[in-house]
Amino acid sequence: AQSVTQPDARVTVSEGASLQLRCKYSYSATPYLFWYVQYPRQGLQLLLKYYSGDPVVQGVNSFEAEFSKSNSSFHLQKASVHWSDSAVYFCALMNTGGLSGKLTFGEGTQVTVIS
Amino acid sequence: NSKVIQTPRYLVKGQGQKAKMRCIPEKGHPVVFWYQQNKNNEFKFLINFQNQEVLQQIDMTEKRFSAECPSNSPCSLEIQSSEAGDSALYLCASSLTTNTEVFFGKGTRLTVV
């Protein structure tokens, strides 16, 4: 069975500092991977996606993520955070062999940006 | 920004009451999903459709849950007899195919009192 693990439930970072959010997955092949962000009282917004090819993918708002097959990871990074980046971030996996497009989500990481 | 429209944004129902929420997927997206997100940020896939046909669904919680995506009308998710444990954020999402990125609406927050 597939799974996604985000080992850090909460991360606090100073404005202007760099941010890395960890995501580990378990899947028998190379999955499609996504990062979503959820602001308070909102739905999920897609930050970036990985299907294949270049392991480093760029997303919105200067976020990027790096896929590692050997480590089964898809970590999210941002070089310099802004207070508006405070939100919950979810890593998600899509089963490439299935027909439904169903997503499996990690537990989420609450990011708080302090001044 | 996502163009998936969900209504209402908030829904308050008494136990045993019917709760119905609607979703208009992004234009041109034939695949529609419903997820339940609880207060612990756990996501539960409920059902998805391609056009009007069900692709996959969970055992719809003792048949209290039903969903449809009729042609030329909003999709809907209905809980026939709400229970306290149904209180959650219900997220509708859509995609172009079953192997492309999924875009979510803002959700309907159901509170069962």
Side-chain angles (χ1 to χ4, degrees):
Chain A
Q2 62 218 42
S3 66
V4 177
T5 301
Q6 294 178 244
D8 305 308
R10 295 180 180 275
V11 170
T12 300
V13 60
S14 297
E15 194 167 17
S18 63
L19 174 70
Q20 184 189 64
L21 302 182
R22 295 183 291 164
C23 172
K24 300 273 287 185
Y25 69 88
S26 175
Y27 186 64
S28 55
T30 299
Y32 296 155
L33 293 162
F34 306 87
W35 276 98
Y36 287 90
V37 61
Q38 187 174 36
Y39 298 103
R41 295 172 296 281
Q42 298 291 319
L44 301 176
Q45 296 180 27
L46 180 65
L47 282 178
L48 45 74
K49 59 188 182 283
Y50 175 79
Y51 292 142
S52 65
D54 189 340
V56 178
V57 291
Q58 306 295 324
V60 299
N61 297 335
S62 302
F63 283 96
E64 68 174 36
E66 183 167 5
F67 168 72
S68 171
K69 187 173 182 178
S70 60
N71 293 324
S72 298
S73 66
F74 188 54
H75 299 332
L76 181 71
Q77 298 171 90
K78 185 168 184 177
S80 177
V81 297
H82 186 262
W83 64 267
S84 60
D85 293 322
S86 294
V88 182
Y89 293 77
F90 293 96
C91 182
L93 173 159
M94 181 182 286
N95 183 344
T96 56
L99 300 175
S100 71
K102 186 173 66 173
L103 291 168
T104 299
F105 289 90
E107 307 91 336
T109 298
Q110 171 72 59
V111 172
T112 301
V113 179
I114 58 175
S115 56
Chain B
N1 286 334
S2 173
K3 300 175 181 62
V4 177
I5 307 299
Q6 289 190 249
T7 56
R9 291 291 310 279
Y10 301 92
L11 195 55
V12 180
K13 294 292 178 181
Q15 294 197 46
Q17 289 188 317
K18 188 181 298 186
K20 187 169 186 175
M21 53 202 83
R22 292 176 174 80
C23 170
I24 299 175
E26 190 163 330
K27 191 175 181 180
H29 283 190
V31 183
V32 176
F33 305 80
W34 286 100
Y35 288 87
Q36 179 195 64
Q37 181 185 13
N38 68 18
K39 63 180 180 180
N40 296 320
N41 284 334
E42 295 164 333
F43 291 84
K44 183 179 182 180
F45 167 84
L46 297 176
I47 191 170
N48 66 344
F49 296 83
Q50 183 152 7
N51 297 310
Q52 292 79 52
E53 302 299 319
V54 175
L55 288 177
Q56 189 176 2
Q57 65 179 340
I58 62 164
D59 178 16
M60 296 288 268
T61 321
E62 303 167 12
K63 309 301 182 187
R64 294 188 300 110
F65 286 64
S66 62
E68 61 176 4
C69 268
S71 176
N72 298 319
S73 292
C75 299
S76 64
L77 176 69
E78 186 171 71
I79 306 172
Q80 290 299 321
S81 178
S82 302
E83 298 177 355
D86 298 330
S87 295
L89 182 67
Y90 289 83
L91 292 164
C92 178
S94 71
S95 64
L96 198 56
T97 73
T98 55
N99 282 299
T100 52
E101 57 265 40
V102 178
F103 297 93
F104 286 80
K106 293 184 177 180
T108 293
R109 183 164 299 281
L110 172 66
T111 302
V112 181
V113 298

